[in-house]
Amino acid sequence: MERHGFERIETGLLVDTYARSKFEDTRQKAQKFGARGTTLKAFKPSR
Amino acid sequence: MSDALEQEIGIDLALLKSEIQKTYSAVSERPEQDFIFPTGRSWAEDLDYPPELRDVPESAVESFAGVANPFSLGRLSPGERVLDLGCGAGTDSLVAAQMVGESGSVVGIDMTPAMLTKARRAATELGVTNVEFVEGEVESLPFPDENFDVVISNGVIDLIPDKDAVYSEIQRVLAPGGRLQIADVTIQNPVSAEGRRNIDLWTG
């Protein structure tokens, strides 16, 4: 994000999105890769 | 750029785009089906979506496929001009439209026509006039420079291989002092080259 010129970068809590998947295979893959939902806020600098 | 990216990642970008459209057309047209990701109103409620969710028509929320709650990092303010990248059936756009009110505006962009049809219908049902939905791709936004105060998105940027293009476009269309406020998927463990070539991992 910094590389793209954003500042004041803030991230939120991780959400275990794929633990809610109906498919066991998806839940396992998400676990393996550590796939989580998250949130991010960042600002474009003022002039 | 596409050729270099295809070589770097080892996937056919046109095929990936087609598979993404196929998956999300299904979420639009057959929301009752089981998908590999959670969907629908109960999922949005579990993510603690703001109270404006209550008034978003079921026709939109039934196809909600977000990965987290971008509004958890703060509400949007009345009067703000908002762009929703990959708006899908419009749940986040319609939450945003209520937050920014009539003095603000929301534009949702998505590459899946079936989703846009649902989003437009839901906006009419909700009775909001400060939102519009546009077909297009987030790597090449059809908007002027510095046109928005906030860019929101939910579970979309992770689907796009060329993230540099996406963030460059977001930077371009944001007004100075504007902000990006998104939900997305983060991968905490390394993915092998073979894994990166697996389109199913991208479309989830």
Side-chain angles (χ1 to χ4, degrees):
Chain A
M1 296 302 293
E2 286 172 348
R3 190 159 56 86
H4 290 282
F6 289 96
E7 63 181 19
R8 295 159 57 199
I9 300 161
E10 179 186 340
T11 54
L13 295 174
L14 295 175
V15 178
D16 204 356
T17 306
Y18 295 99
R20 291 282 297 264
S21 175
K22 302 269 174 55
F23 298 93
E24 174 65 22
D25 180 54
T26 300
R27 295 195 297 271
Q28 285 177 356
K29 281 180 184 160
Q31 183 81 19
K32 176 181 173 186
F33 295 117
R36 301 281 187 275
T38 189
T39 50
L40 182 148
K41 182 156 75 170
F43 288 80
K44 178 174 178 173
S46 303
R47 280 207 184 92
Chain B
M1 182 64 196
S2 290
D3 289 346
L5 197 63
E6 279 194 348
Q7 280 198 333
E8 182 190 333
I9 303 173
I11 55 170
D12 179 335
L13 294 180
L15 177 62
L16 174 60
K17 179 181 167 185
S18 158
E19 289 299 314
I20 290 170
Q21 279 188 310
K22 203 184 297 178
T23 298
Y24 288 91
S25 291
V27 176
S28 171
E29 291 161 359
R30 298 184 295 282
E32 72 287 352
Q33 194 176 303
D34 286 341
F35 296 94
I36 63 171
F37 39 77
T39 59
R41 188 178 293 277
S42 63
W43 172 230
E45 287 171 348
D46 284 351
L47 290 169
D48 285 329
Y49 256 58
E52 285 82 357
L53 177 72
R54 276 197 305 267
D55 293 324
V56 177
E58 187 58 26
S59 57
V61 186
E62 67 182 1
S63 295
F64 172 77
V67 299
N69 174 3
F71 304 104
S72 65
L73 289 173
R75 292 178 60 82
L76 308 179
S77 300
E80 286 188 315
R81 299 165 298 167
V82 181
L83 173 63
D84 183 3
L85 295 183
C87 61
T91 297
D92 286 18
S93 292
L94 297 177
V95 167
Q98 295 175 75
M99 285 184 177
V100 301
E102 289 183 4
S103 61
S105 60
V106 179
V107 179
I109 184 167
D110 203 280
M111 69 172 186
T112 304
M115 284 289 199
L116 291 167
T117 300
K118 291 191 83 164
R120 291 182 183 121
R121 195 176 301 142
T124 301
E125 196 178 329
L126 180 60
V128 289
T129 55
N130 60 345
V131 58
E132 65 173 311
F133 295 100
V134 174
E135 185 173 345
E137 297 184 11
V138 300
E139 306 98 312
S140 53
L141 296 171
F143 308 113
D145 295 355
E146 303 183 357
N147 200 52
F148 298 99
D149 302 306
V150 190
V151 171
I152 61 172
S153 183
N154 197 344
V156 171
I157 297 174
D158 63 286
L159 301 173
I160 300 167
D162 193 355
K163 292 177 178 40
D164 281 345
V166 177
Y167 286 117
S168 293
E169 280 293 85
I170 293 170
Q171 179 72 233
R172 181 182 68 76
V173 301
L174 270 177
R179 70 187 183 281
L180 166 68
Q181 189 170 320
I182 63 168
D184 211 20
V185 175
T186 179
I187 303 292
Q188 300 184 306
N189 301 328
V191 179
S192 66
E194 185 185 356
R196 285 159 61 93
R197 289 192 295 271
N198 182 348
I199 281 189
D200 287 344
L201 290 182
W202 285 90
T203 56

